[in-house]
Amino acid sequence: TNAEGCFKMDTVYVKVLVTRDSVLVPNAFTPDASGKNDIFRIRTINTGIREIRSFRIWDKWGELMYEKEHFDPGAPHGWDGDFRGKKAEAGVYIYRIIVDYIDNFPDEKIGQLLLIR
């Protein structure tokens, strides 16, 4: 309000850009205790991620092989290729990852991975 009593208002829009391609998911791993590529884990390259809400892997019959929920994107969680104390069979598995971003919009990644023995 100015000295004459006139009121003025304005609006400023701020657009937050969050890159949705900041989750890197490999397509294969070799859990052979070589020290290289032994664990199937995701990598993140963006600080716009709040948390990994869900990380799940199923076999071709739909049995849940691995599950981890609500963890920091920098944490080294992943599947080592074992299931119930035994080595899982070589083959194709399905993953689903749900990522929560700082803008409160989740993103879902679904794909296939190859376990090589």
Side-chain angles (χ1 to χ4, degrees):
T1 306
N2 65 11
E4 290 79 32
C6 295
F7 176 77
K8 184 176 181 181
M9 189 162 108
D10 199 358
T11 303
V12 175
Y13 291 98
V14 177
K15 185 174 184 179
V16 178
L17 298 176
V18 177
T19 305
R20 299 287 184 225
D21 60 353
S22 57
V23 177
L24 305 174
V25 184
N27 59 6
F29 78 120
T30 57
D32 57 6
S34 68
K36 297 178 183 174
N37 203 22
D38 289 332
I39 297 176
F40 180 79
R41 67 175 54 135
I42 58 176
R43 308 266 193 250
T44 58
I45 57 170
N46 186 311
T47 58
I49 297 173
R50 177 180 297 127
E51 76 168 352
I52 307 299
R53 183 191 307 178
S54 175
F55 180 22
R56 293 186 176 113
I57 300 171
W58 294 270
D59 67 9
K60 58 187 170 187
W61 296 282
E63 185 162 15
L64 186 63
M65 305 296 285
Y66 175 82
E67 178 178 34
K68 183 72 177 169
E69 294 183 317
H70 303 287
F71 62 94
D72 183 80
H77 297 295
W79 185 38
D80 63 2
D82 288 352
F83 181 65
R84 295 183 181 158
K86 296 181 182 178
K87 292 182 178 188
E89 292 181 23
V92 177
Y93 293 82
I94 305 299
Y95 67 82
R96 180 177 183 234
I97 302 163
I98 300 176
V99 179
D100 284 335
Y101 286 88
I102 58 174
D103 62 3
N104 293 321
F105 288 100
D107 190 25
E108 179 181 61
K109 306 277 186 206
I110 297 174
Q112 299 177 2
L113 69 104
L114 179 61
L115 189 158
I116 302 169
R117 293 259 180 224

